[in-house]
Amino acid sequence: SLEIANYLQNLFETQVDLVTIANFNLLDQINLMRQTTIVITPVGAVSYPATFLSHGSAVIYIDVYDSEKKSNSGLEGPLWTRDRRILDLHYPSTPLDIIDPNLHYGIQTTKVFPKRLAHLVYTALLHTEKTFNFGPNSFTKQK
């Protein structure tokens, strides 16, 4: 959301782009991912373009809570953890994060809390800082 993008941009004093990947054709999606250092994406099919991230990039998967199983859905999580080229981080959800009680295939809409997400973003920034030689302490200043 725009609220989260603005929060992260102000907190880490770095560029944050909010992108709807479905607005791009396949070639443009691949090119965009090759130029991206960190991606935050929901789990599921929408996360597949992250496959094309450059070596050393990071991706944060926003999981959803499955009320039937009473756990995080996981979806393709085990697949992504096998990709050693990128750092994969997961934002787990709990019943407390549910904002929409209407079920969609047994999975409920989840709220993402910016301060909680920022911890994972910070880890991803430190990882990419080393990988892409952004310079020491480029993102280590937290307000």
Side-chain angles (χ1 to χ4, degrees):
S1 75
L2 185 57
E3 170 198 354
I4 292 172
N6 288 334
Y7 176 81
L8 295 173
Q9 187 163 306
N10 291 330
L11 179 65
F12 296 112
E13 298 178 353
T14 191
Q15 180 180 340
V16 175
D17 297 319
L18 192 58
V19 175
T20 302
I21 200 74
N23 293 341
F24 295 85
N25 66 42
L26 180 59
L27 182 58
D28 289 341
Q29 288 179 23
I30 292 169
N31 289 331
L32 178 65
M33 289 298 108
R34 300 298 297 162
Q35 299 170 24
T36 302
T37 51
I38 299 172
V39 170
I40 302 171
T41 179
V43 294
V46 72
S47 67
Y48 278 86
T51 305
F52 299 102
L53 285 168
S54 296
H55 179 84
S57 298
V59 62
I60 300 170
Y61 298 100
I62 307 295
D63 209 339
V64 289
Y65 189 77
D66 185 332
S67 59
E68 291 176 0
K69 294 180 183 175
K70 298 194 181 344
S71 67
N72 285 296
S73 67
L75 293 176
E76 66 284 319
L79 171 67
W80 298 136
T81 57
R82 289 178 174 26
D83 186 352
R84 300 289 180 213
R85 298 174 308 108
I86 60 172
L87 175 66
D88 67 303
L89 300 166
H90 301 268
Y91 179 101
S93 60
T94 70
L96 298 175
D97 301 327
I98 294 172
I99 59 170
D100 184 354
N102 298 316
L103 293 177
H104 178 69
Y105 300 110
I107 297 173
Q108 297 173 315
T109 305
T110 303
K111 176 171 178 53
V112 175
F113 295 93
K115 289 182 180 179
R116 197 166 132 204
L117 179 62
H119 292 286
L120 292 174
V121 171
Y122 185 64
T123 299
L125 286 168
L126 291 176
H127 171 77
T128 58
E129 178 180 79
K130 292 176 188 173
T131 304
F132 293 102
N133 297 316
F134 288 133
N137 302 318
S138 298
F139 306 109
T140 53
K141 178 183 168 194
Q142 286 205 42
K143 297 179 184 175

